Amino acid sequence: MAATPRPLIAGNWKMNGLKSAGLREVKKLATRMDKVSKPGCDVLICPPATLLAPLRDAVKGSGIAIGGQDCHGNAAGAHTGDIAAAMLKDIGCGYVIVGHSERRADYGENDRMVRAKAVAAHGAGLRAIICVGETAAERKNGETLKIIGKQLTDSLPKNSTAKNTIIAYEPVWAIGTGLTPTVDDVKEVHAYLRSRLRRRLKADGVAMRLLYGGSVKGSNAAELMAVDNVNGALVGGASLTAADFWPIVETCL
Ligand code: PGA
């Protein structure tokens, strides 16, 4: 039997966090992680770019990884305000989120652009967390699997492996709303993602981590993390404080 993918609990701080509060919270997390001798999962924080360097220093030695929330599809050049994957790597990131639905909605990022970002991430030696997810209207119309299947096909680079890529299923309507799909709905989508990945990437598709994201919190994390083919979580609001994030991490420790 293939080994179960090692879970990843990732926090996405989005556009939240100033230095003093960010450092305070991440130091609390690092102190708790230090007490765990053999964590059963990987833990990642993706802060705003301004906090990457101070947080990298604050988590040193704790096993907590730091990642970016986005990168450009090009390696370098005239792209005001953007960050290249190599810059994230250079400052100590191990991961970068690409194709988050907020970027798809706010900046019109499409699957082709998301794939270019993932390719750039791979090229820089980063693990890409590629986000997919349906809107409320798409779910209502019964199009969930069709939409997610297309996003997966078109956003996933050819050279993706279980090591360099993670898929996050984030129903758009569940993000920041307190709403979550039922356990059966999550199970259905993750089984579908797994079967498509297995077909396309063979063993790598079996070993690739599939995260669930959208209103994950301490009170629902254990139930969601126990669903077949859920190998961790991408957490927004509940990752901003150690008090909220730690109970989610603990479900996989
Ligand atoms: P949320 O955000 O946990 O606040 O719903 C999740 C995400 O957007 O990654």
Side-chain angles (χ1 to χ4, degrees), residues 10-14 97 100-102 131 168 170-180 212-217 233-240 248:
N12 171 12
W13 284 9
K14 310 188 180 183
I97 300 168
H100 190 281
S101 65
E102 285 151 14
C131 302
E170 298 208 304
V172 178
W173 53 272
I175 295 175
T177 58
L179 303 171
T180 50
Y212 168 77
S215 296
V216 177
K217 39 187 190 280
L234 182 53
V235 185
S239 70
L240 292 173
I248 302 172

Side-chain angles (χ1 to χ4, degrees), residues 136-209:
E138 288 160 350
R139 176 160 283 273
K140 199 156 157 254
N141 290 339
E143 296 175 328
T144 299
L145 299 185
K146 191 182 97 190
I147 294 291
I148 285 164
K150 181 162 170 38
Q151 288 176 339
L152 185 71
T153 299
D154 295 350
S155 306
L156 191 71
K158 268 213 264 332
N159 67 349
S160 298
T161 65
K163 202 160 187 285
N164 68 19
T165 306
I166 294 135
I167 304 296
Y169 168 53
E170 298 208 304
V172 178
W173 53 272
I175 295 175
T177 58
L179 303 171
T180 50
T182 65
V183 161
D184 283 345
D185 288 340
V186 175
K187 193 172 168 180
E188 182 190 27
V189 172
H190 279 243
Y192 180 68
L193 287 168
R194 179 68 72 210
S195 75
R196 288 188 72 117
L197 287 168
R198 187 190 296 123
R199 229 180 307 141
R200 180 160 159 187
L201 303 174
K202 310 291 181 278
D204 274 295
V206 176
M208 190 171 283
R209 294 185 278 193

